């Protein structure tokens, strides 16, 4: 059974940092692309950052470029999202998902999601 478990969320002041983890089980993502998404109440889900585990290709939303860093530890089947200089507008529930048809920042869909981890940034 494929599962994703996100962790590392919490409450932080603006300007602070958090590192989110997305631990996968049930498959080995040597050739998979994994994405971090977020959704705030009343807002649409947003792709935050994506990574192709096969070649390390990455994508970042404009709103997080220069502040967030995605990385993949294939040996641990874990993808990380290092978030720095956090802003109140980063407040959301963050999810990871396995992407389908990923190529250079685009994808055709996703098949497995985690339950998410809440990030709250206070001003």
């Amino acid at each position: 059974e494929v599962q994703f478990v996100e962790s590392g969320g919490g409450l932080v002041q603006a300007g602070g940092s958090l590192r989110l983890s997305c631990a996968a089980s049930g498959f080995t993502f040597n050739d998979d692309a994994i994405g971090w998404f977020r959704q705030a109440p009343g807002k649409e889900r947003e792709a935050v950052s994506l990574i192709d585990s096969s070649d390390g290709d990455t994508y970042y939303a404009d709103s997080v470029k220069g502040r967030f860093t995605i990385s993949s530890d294939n040996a641990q089947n874990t993808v990380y999202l290092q978030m720095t200089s956090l802003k109140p507008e980063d407040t959301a529930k963050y999810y990871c998902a396995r992407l389908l048809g990923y190529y250079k920042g685009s994808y055709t869909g996703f098949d497995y999601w985690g339950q998410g981890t809440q990030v709250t940034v206070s001003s």
Side-chain angles (χ1 to χ4, degrees):
E1 181 186 4
V2 173
Q3 282 191 327
F4 287 102
V5 178
E6 301 96 335
S7 61
L11 173 63
V12 64
Q13 287 189 331
S17 300
L18 286 172
R19 188 175 83 152
L20 306 184
S21 299
C22 168
S25 60
F27 74 103
T28 303
F29 54 73
N30 290 323
D31 297 314
D32 291 281
I34 307 296
W36 280 101
F37 297 80
R38 66 187 181 187
Q39 188 164 23
K43 295 189 176 180
E44 291 190 355
R45 182 177 56 208
E46 172 189 20
V48 176
S49 185
L50 317 173
I51 186 166
D52 187 337
S53 297
S54 66
D55 63 6
D57 181 72
T58 57
Y59 160 87
Y60 295 94
D62 287 343
S63 57
V64 306
K65 276 181 184 175
R67 301 189 297 121
F68 290 11
T69 303
I70 192 169
S71 61
S72 175
D73 184 337
N74 289 359
Q76 297 294 324
N77 246 30
T78 300
V79 172
Y80 301 97
L81 185 68
Q82 179 68 49
M83 307 187 296
T84 63
S85 300
L86 282 162
K87 304 175 181 180
E89 51 263 43
D90 294 318
T91 295
K93 196 161 189 181
Y94 285 69
Y95 302 85
C96 60
R98 188 169 72 173
L99 305 174
L100 303 175
Y102 178 86
Y103 182 74
K104 302 295 186 186
S106 296
Y107 56 95
T108 58
F110 25 70
D111 54 4
Y112 294 102
W113 288 84
Q115 294 299 306
T117 186
Q118 178 68 36
V119 171
T120 303
V121 184
S122 63
S123 56

